[in-house]
Amino acid sequence: MAAHGAVLSLCRFIKPFGGGRLGNTVKVFGTTLTSHRNKSGLNPPPAKYGGRHTVTLIPGDGIGPELLNHVREVFRFSCVPVDFEVVHVNSALETDDDMNNAITAIRRNGVALKGNIETKHTLPASVKSRNNVLRTSLDLYANVMHCQSLPGVQTRHKNIDIMIIRENTEGEYSSLEHESVSGVVESLKIITRNNSLRIAEYAFQLARDKGRRRVTAVHKANIMKLGDGLFLQCCKEVASGYPDITFDSMIVDNTTMQLVSKPQQFDVMVMPNLYGNVVSNVCAGLVGGPGLVPGANYGRDYAVFETATRNTGKSIAGRNIANPTALLLASCMMLDHLELNDHATSIRNAVLTTMNETRLHTADIGGQGTTLEVVQSIMRIIQSKGQLTSEF
Amino acid sequence: MLSNMNMPRLAQMQTVTLIPGDGIGPEISSAVVKIFQAANAPVSWEERNVTAIKGPGGRWMIPPDAKESMDRSKIGLKGPLKTPIAAGHPSMNLLLRKTFDLYANVRPCISIEGYKTPYTDVDLVTIRENTEGEYSGIEHQIVDGVVQSIKLITENASRRIAEYAFEYARNNQRSSVTAVHKANIMRMSDGLFLRKCREVAESYKDIKFTEMYLDTVCLNMVQDPTQFDVLVMPNLYGDILSDLCAGLIGGLGVTPSGNIGANGVAIFESVHGTAPDIAGLDLANPTALLLSGVMMLRHMGLHDHAHKIQKACFDTIREKKVLTKDLGGNSKCSEFTADICRRVQDLD
């Protein structure tokens, strides 16, 4: 009886998706037809127009536009063979046209670099988070974040090296909500076997590729017995195919407690969407804050790179104080993905040298440098390494 | 054990239902009773067992004498309860929650001087809605391989918890209340929760109200926890955040907790486990239960006694001479307890 009601409630909310969102309907019923992949990455799109890649750039809101301008500046300076196709998304509008354009552009180019798009609370609840729409439309099922302590940054905990793999399309972020009775709202959290197997497979394969020893699944299966129970079971199944990697699990509240007292015990962590949100923000805070950690969203066919903690940074926008590190490192991850490894390494080294040796820090990590000063320092270091650069 | 402690009194004796619990529960409960006695706290204990029994109609319930005692005394102090895996009955904590409609879980997290953690000067309170949200327990398998869990947010429960949070802030001289949510993703459900918080905030203009995304709170909490005061949130976020904050001050062994019910019932408890491996060996740390008892005294209006006992406890920990193993020492529970009793009496 209750199940019947549940199916009805789901059906009611698949309908508005209609037409071009058939992919979503198929996804919700868990029959994503992705085949088993044995590689964590995916083949980059072919270079176009004589060896130059085209990448979609979505500036977003807050500090996104200014930091992405700096990224383009560094790319131009280092003669990186990447052209950006800029697509603006106006977060104040209710219509989906901007997002549809952005999604089409990413489908065309295969790769994107983005700032965070604000979700305005003044718009009605039917307008979903644009960032979420992007992730689900492109089926970017794996969010990967690598948190490492940086020697040049003062933090309470040292020697942290955690990879977090977060399921990026379902779970609590399914955006399926309805008000069944006035004053009573139900929000559905969907866990499917296919997506759980897929993300677990991704996590173990990545762990193996990077030579990591242990994967920890984070869950709350003692309370959400069916939902998180299914997720955990899928992880266990996948784990049995990787005997060289140790698998264990931990309940999410205990996980956060352990993270703030002994974060060094964690190696690779895999989890559903919401816990991923919490854990990745805790870890980002532990290594120094939102300005330092890059994030990547991978799907079977597309990849989108952004900062790990997805902040708009409205309060510091336009003041030349934002930390460009996270977005620059994200752009390096993108260059690695495009197999432009030399450029990636050059820029990454320059960023880390500025952070760890020159110690030119922005305010969020206790320094007094401006964004521009940090970026110029990075460009100077790139130039000093003798690589081909254009004028300053 | 200690059914009715009669003590010489100046103040009116108040009855409290004591639920020792399982594992290390009985020994830490007796430690707390000893300390209260040393402090001359006007508390008379009624000990009860809450192991679930099957009532008429086949529904699991707590024993009637426990319920009767609690309904009468309105205040309870509870040790850790064991939930056997295949017992057939739901978790004991869940049963208590449902029986007394314990809608608010309150955890003050204050750094303990003498028990060093990487975080100092933490002084915040998490107030968690405890009846609905993600823990409504409503789950279905739609088709094979697809599971849905339902998160329920209601106007009434949201308003109730928001009102409690602001009342608490006012009664305890806290200056701000922050609502923690994810209304950017869960537009309707957390949106409703947020709206109710905003509405209630209108009636409490003396308290500053802010709202913050869950991820931003987590991010900022591990960098600078001093910026937070009172936090109010739905069930799941509350579960995660309250444990996160407990981790900041040193873990569940030193964190107090209180549950407020709809009919004036309040049950204060330690939130750690039953620790069966050290049960009965006089090794347990009674701090969490003791601090919950202190919270209870404050709730009862006995602020002087609360202050005395808390100070004695913190002083003992700061001196580091008789710490239990989990606090880094080598002493027995009884030695730790005796030291606190001595200090309490000296403070008189």
Side-chain angles (χ1 to χ4, degrees):
Chain A
M1 183 62 178
H4 180 64
V7 173
L8 275 184
S9 61
L10 252 192
C11 286
R12 208 179 330 144
F13 292 88
I14 311 280
K15 275 224 201 87
F17 282 62
R21 304 287 185 93
L22 186 59
N24 261 356
T25 316
V26 173
K27 171 210 75 156
V28 169
F29 279 96
T31 56
T32 334
L33 300 171
T34 51
S35 54
H36 175 82
R37 260 167 317 294
N38 53 13
K39 215 181 114 173
S40 351
L42 37 110
N43 302 312
K48 302 165 191 169
Y49 312 126
R52 295 183 68 81
H53 294 267
T54 307
V55 167
T56 307
L57 186 86
I58 303 173
D61 300 306
I63 51 176
E66 62 194 80
L67 293 182
L68 285 170
N69 273 341
H70 287 304
V71 169
R72 293 165 73 178
E73 193 51 41
V74 172
F75 274 28
R76 186 197 62 81
F77 179 75
S78 317
C79 300
V80 174
V82 166
D83 293 316
F84 286 107
E85 180 187 348
V86 180
V87 184
H88 291 281
V89 174
N90 188 340
S91 50
L93 296 179
E94 273 184 50
T95 57
D96 291 330
D97 296 335
D98 281 353
M99 272 321 293
N100 289 339
N101 289 341
I103 292 170
T104 310
I106 301 176
R107 284 195 216 274
R108 188 171 47 240
N109 297 323
V111 177
L113 188 61
K114 76 182 262 292
N116 199 45
I117 304 165
E118 191 190 346
T119 306
K120 288 202 180 335
H121 291 292
T122 46
L123 298 176
S126 52
V127 179
K128 310 289 178 199
S129 153
R130 267 57 185 259
N131 304 301
N132 200 26
V133 164
L134 199 140
R135 293 191 289 266
T136 50
S137 306
L138 297 170
D139 199 24
L140 301 169
Y141 67 90
N143 177 262
V144 180
M145 178 178 158
H146 187 184
C147 277
Q148 268 178 307
S149 293
L150 295 175
V153 182
Q154 264 288 65
T155 51
R156 291 182 177 87
H157 307 272
K158 311 268 177 254
N159 298 324
I160 300 175
D161 190 354
I162 306 175
M163 293 204 77
I164 299 169
I165 293 137
R166 161 187 176 185
E167 208 292 326
N168 216 8
T169 55
E170 57 175 24
E172 298 82 351
Y173 287 44
S174 313
S175 299
L176 293 165
E177 297 180 295
H178 54 278
E179 189 162 10
S180 34
V181 173
S182 167
V184 176
V185 176
E186 283 182 6
S187 172
L188 304 181
K189 162 180 165 163
I190 311 287
I191 301 275
T192 61
R193 194 173 160 70
N194 280 1
N195 289 351
S196 305
L197 283 174
R198 192 168 65 163
I199 194 66
E201 188 62 51
Y202 188 95
F204 277 90
Q205 189 58 51
L206 189 67
R208 187 177 265 175
D209 289 345
K210 304 277 180 192
R212 314 286 288 215
R213 317 267 51 194
R214 207 171 112 232
V215 173
T216 306
V218 177
H219 65 96
K220 190 98 191 140
N222 51 341
I223 303 284
M224 284 178 255
K225 298 183 167 59
L226 285 188
D228 285 353
L230 176 59
F231 181 82
L232 200 55
Q233 193 193 326
C234 291
C235 289
K236 284 188 184 135
E237 277 175 36
V238 172
S240 59
Y242 290 81
D244 49 323
I245 298 178
T246 316
F247 171 70
D248 56 12
S249 62
M250 198 183 270
I251 300 186
V252 61
D253 31 0
N254 189 21
T255 307
T256 51
M257 235 189 312
Q258 297 291 328
L259 276 171
V260 296
S261 42
K262 254 193 312 138
Q264 297 80 6
Q265 62 182 290
F266 294 104
D267 192 357
V268 177
M269 300 167 81
V270 63
M271 60 206 89
N273 218 330
L274 183 69
Y275 313 144
N277 186 227
V278 171
V279 170
S280 54
N281 276 271
V282 169
C283 290
L286 292 175
V287 298
L292 298 180
V293 192
N297 304 285
Y298 295 108
R300 192 189 65 176
D301 303 316
Y302 313 108
V304 174
F305 300 87
E306 53 178 352
T307 64
T309 49
R310 304 169 175 169
N311 308 91
T312 35
K314 266 194 314 191
S315 54
I316 55 172
R319 289 161 55 186
N320 197 19
I321 53 174
N323 194 337
T325 306
L327 263 180
L328 277 168
L329 290 177
S331 67
C332 293
M333 285 176 83
M334 182 189 79
L335 290 174
D336 277 328
H337 179 78
L338 293 173
E339 294 184 358
L340 295 168
N341 301 102
D342 290 339
H343 285 288
T345 313
S346 149
I347 299 176
R348 186 178 293 127
N349 283 345
V351 172
L352 293 176
T353 306
T354 303
M355 174 73 54
N356 299 328
E357 289 171 39
T358 324
R359 308 246 165 164
L360 181 57
H361 292 169
T362 42
D364 60 313
I365 42 177
Q368 287 164 336
T370 63
T371 317
L372 197 54
E373 284 168 4
V374 173
V375 170
Q376 282 169 345
S377 162
I378 291 167
M379 295 202 289
R380 259 197 301 276
I381 295 173
I382 295 173
Q383 186 168 55
S384 71
K385 298 289 177 193
Q387 276 207 295
L388 172 69
T389 56
S390 56
E391 324 88 60
F392 224 97
Chain B
M1 200 175 70
L2 314 128
S3 292
N4 280 309
M5 298 269 336
N6 274 319
M7 301 183 282
R9 88 250 11 127
L10 297 169
Q12 172 93 21
M13 290 291 280
Q14 296 191 53
T15 313
V16 168
T17 306
L18 177 69
I19 302 162
D22 308 306
I24 54 172
E27 50 200 289
I28 55 175
S29 301
S30 79
V32 171
V33 170
K34 276 203 195 80
I35 295 170
F36 271 50
Q37 184 185 12
N40 280 327
V43 170
S44 104
W45 305 97
E46 263 183 26
E47 199 179 309
R48 293 286 180 270
N49 187 337
V50 292
T51 314
I53 59 171
K54 252 213 170 126
R59 258 201 356 198
W60 288 100
M61 53 184 234
I62 64 171
D65 61 337
K67 182 167 192 311
E68 183 273 333
S69 167
M70 190 69 80
D71 283 335
R72 193 174 15 91
S73 66
K74 298 289 191 198
I75 313 265
L77 184 64
K78 174 177 95 55
L81 291 177
K82 176 177 66 179
T83 295
I85 310 280
H89 65 70
S91 122
M92 284 310 312
N93 290 313
L94 187 60
L95 205 52
L96 276 172
R97 203 169 303 145
K98 288 236 145 78
T99 310
F100 298 107
D101 196 14
L102 301 172
Y103 67 92
N105 178 260
V106 184
R107 273 204 215 166
C109 291
I110 303 180
S111 281
I112 298 182
E113 199 188 332
Y115 187 42
K116 277 211 77 53
T117 62
Y119 299 89
T120 53
D121 298 329
V122 180
D123 185 0
L124 54 88
V125 181
T126 57
I127 298 181
R128 158 192 176 188
E129 202 293 323
N130 218 2
T131 60
E132 55 174 29
E134 299 81 349
Y135 292 9
S136 31
I138 313 170
E139 291 187 295
H140 322 284
Q141 177 156 289
I142 318 262
V143 293
D144 188 31
V146 179
V147 174
Q148 102 185 348
S149 301
I150 297 190
K151 162 177 165 166
L152 205 65
I153 298 281
T154 62
E155 203 173 305
N156 287 345
S158 305
R159 191 187 324 111
R160 190 166 64 165
I161 193 72
E163 275 169 359
Y164 181 78
F166 279 94
E167 268 308 310
Y168 182 93
R170 197 176 258 172
N171 294 342
N172 290 274
Q173 290 82 45
R174 314 292 300 207
S175 50
S176 76
V177 171
T178 305
V180 181
H181 65 98
K182 269 216 81 65
N184 51 344
I185 300 291
M186 285 175 257
R187 303 295 305 270
M188 284 176 81
S189 41
D190 283 358
L192 175 58
F193 180 81
L194 204 54
R195 263 202 319 279
K196 289 296 136 199
C197 289
R198 285 183 190 144
E199 279 172 26
V200 172
E202 293 295 310
S203 321
Y204 290 83
K205 293 284 199 200
D206 50 323
I207 314 270
K208 178 161 163 247
F209 173 67
T210 49
E211 31 192 81
M212 211 185 249
Y213 289 140
L214 172 67
D215 38 3
T216 313
V217 172
C218 289
L219 189 59
N220 292 343
M221 183 73 78
V222 298
Q223 291 180 77
D224 179 23
T226 59
Q227 60 186 285
F228 295 105
D229 194 353
V230 176
L231 299 162
V232 63
M233 60 213 115
N235 215 334
L236 175 68
Y237 314 151
D239 193 7
I240 300 175
L241 267 182
S242 56
D243 278 3
L244 178 67
C245 296
L248 297 178
I249 61 168
L252 297 181
V254 293
T255 307
S257 174
N259 298 290
I260 312 298
N263 297 317
V265 168
I267 303 184
F268 299 86
E269 59 177 355
S270 58
V271 285
H272 52 70
T274 51
D277 48 333
I278 57 168
L281 301 176
D282 197 18
L283 295 171
N285 177 359
T287 305
L289 193 62
L290 185 63
L291 291 178
S292 302
V294 165
M295 229 182 128
M296 180 185 81
L297 288 171
R298 292 212 167 96
H299 180 88
M300 290 157 76
L302 299 166
H303 295 279
D304 289 336
H305 291 91
H307 176 77
K308 224 168 33 179
I309 296 175
Q310 184 175 294
K311 187 168 186 335
C313 177
F314 284 0
D315 285 348
T316 301
I317 297 178
R318 190 178 41 235
E319 294 290 301
K320 297 198 205 217
K321 294 217 190 79
V322 270
L323 297 182
T324 48
K325 189 140 175 282
D326 61 313
L327 292 173
N330 250 323
S331 304
K332 293 193 168 312
C333 176
S334 44
E335 292 167 348
F336 181 75
T337 308
D339 197 67
I340 299 181
C341 290
R342 187 183 52 77
R343 283 180 200 275
V344 162
Q345 276 157 344
D346 288 345
L347 279 170
D348 253 335

